[in-house]
Amino acid sequence: MIVLSHFQVAPLVQARRDRKMFATISPDLNLTTVEVVLSEGGSAFSGGECITWADLEKIATSENSCFIVENNSITKIQIFSEETNRLYTLYPTQGAPTMLISGIPMHRIKGTDPHRDTLAKVKTIAPMVGDVLDTATGLGYTAIAAATAERVVTIELDPAATEIARQNPWSRDLFENPKIERIIGDSSDLVPTFRASTFNRIIHDPPMFNLAGELYSEEFYRELYRVLKSGGKLFHYIGDLESKSGRNVARGVMQRLQQVGFKRVEKRPQAFGVITQK
């Protein structure tokens, strides 16, 4: 599977200008590199895929999209979900891509990248041990990072998001790591069905409050408290705690977590969230 963005195509365009016959690029959004052959018609990969210069120029000028190469043609990695009425797009960075949901990035990309953003969240409640619950799969970066534990259960509301993840090279372990159990459904419906005291760690990284208010409710927090083992730790992503909206959301989140039984809730500004322990 070849997946490219303007970051990967730029060396090809420059090599053509320099009249070179070969160029080294990444075929998987900066995970690995390969050498491709340049010709008047375009570029040829060792696996047999060929991309015309017209398609390469299209990728080069599409700064907000990633493209999958299949049968010598390119397709933008983008899906409209009729289930949620949202548009999902794989958005490139110089590292791991993020996913846009109706234009809103699901990871921090200013001053960091989605991979480092994920590691910062997971680090707040390290080490990952026992059973881990990831309440919002997205591209699966959290589940992958948490899979140093014995088992990770990760929940995704929209199958369209899972399809985007399938086309993302950085999400490969989400589908290949046997420690990761993927569930499609609504966390607010599924978490109440889990047995009490099941998880050693919970990573709660919901969409913005205005997109998924039920995942910020006292009722849902009570269920998270119930399924967390005694001594277990919870990380709750909120957003920039220094912004006006972040401060307001954080205040409510911390109050509701305490109301359901969590005794100590601490801010973790570097990870844009809060942590607590049962």
Side-chain angles (χ1 to χ4, degrees):
M1 182 173 66
I2 299 174
V3 180
L4 304 172
S5 76
H6 69 98
F7 290 111
Q8 290 74 48
V9 167
L12 293 181
V13 175
Q14 185 59 49
R16 185 191 190 194
R17 292 182 185 138
D18 296 339
R19 300 182 180 277
K20 294 182 178 179
M21 297 180 63
F22 301 93
T24 299
I25 71 162
S26 173
D28 49 16
L29 302 180
N30 292 336
L31 285 172
T32 64
T33 58
V34 297
E35 188 175 76
V36 298
V37 179
L38 308 183
S39 67
E40 287 298 318
S43 64
F45 290 77
S46 59
E49 291 283 2
C50 297
I51 312 175
T52 65
W53 287 115
D55 280 343
L56 290 169
E57 290 290 348
K58 180 179 179 180
I59 297 173
T61 56
S62 300
E63 296 186 355
N64 298 328
S65 303
C66 298
F67 295 80
I68 189 167
V69 182
E70 294 179 308
N71 300 319
N72 299 333
S73 63
I74 62 171
T75 303
K76 183 183 293 187
I77 301 179
Q78 185 176 73
I79 299 174
F80 179 78
S81 172
E82 296 184 355
E83 182 170 332
T84 60
N85 201 36
R86 296 173 182 168
L87 180 66
Y88 293 84
T89 305
L90 194 64
Y91 179 88
T93 76
Q94 290 185 322
T98 187
M99 182 163 60
L100 302 182
I101 300 182
S102 298
I104 301 172
M106 292 296 99
H107 301 87
R108 286 190 290 151
I109 55 177
K110 185 177 181 179
T112 185
D113 63 62
H115 179 63
R116 287 188 291 154
D117 178 38
T118 299
L119 295 181
K121 298 170 187 175
V122 173
K123 184 179 179 180
T124 62
I125 54 172
M128 292 293 111
V129 294
D131 291 340
V132 178
L133 173 62
D134 169 29
T135 63
T137 307
L139 290 176
Y141 297 162
T142 298
I144 293 168
T148 53
E150 282 73 19
R151 181 176 72 119
V152 178
V153 176
T154 183
I155 303 171
E156 174 53 52
L157 172 66
D158 197 335
T162 300
E163 183 56 33
I164 293 289
R166 285 188 184 278
Q167 298 179 69
N168 175 25
W170 287 77
S171 301
R172 189 173 297 127
D173 278 356
L174 176 65
F175 305 96
E176 297 181 356
N177 191 326
K179 290 184 177 182
I180 300 175
E181 177 183 344
R182 294 179 292 105
I183 303 176
I184 296 293
D186 190 329
S187 283
S188 63
D189 294 330
L190 290 171
V191 173
T193 70
F194 298 151
R195 293 196 307 268
S197 302
T198 295
F199 299 100
N200 301 82
R201 301 286 186 270
I202 296 177
I203 304 169
H204 184 41
D205 185 5
M208 295 174 60
F209 182 85
N210 61 347
L211 293 178
E214 70 280 2
L215 298 183
Y216 294 78
S217 69
E218 181 178 333
E219 180 182 2
F220 185 67
Y221 293 165
R222 186 171 287 109
E223 290 299 329
L224 293 182
Y225 184 85
R226 183 184 64 83
V227 301
L228 188 62
K229 290 183 178 180
S230 179
K233 297 179 180 180
L234 163 73
F235 171 78
H236 189 318
Y237 180 82
I238 294 171
D240 186 358
L241 301 183
E242 302 304 319
S243 70
K244 181 179 179 181
S245 61
R247 287 195 300 270
N248 291 337
V249 173
R251 188 181 304 112
V253 165
M254 297 175 76
Q255 289 175 349
R256 290 189 292 277
L257 287 173
Q258 290 171 336
Q259 286 169 355
V260 304
F262 291 105
K263 300 302 182 185
R264 185 176 180 182
V265 185
E266 302 176 354
K267 294 180 179 180
R268 288 294 182 269
Q270 75 282 3
F272 280 36
V274 300
I275 65 167
T276 190
Q277 186 169 354
K278 182 175 179 179

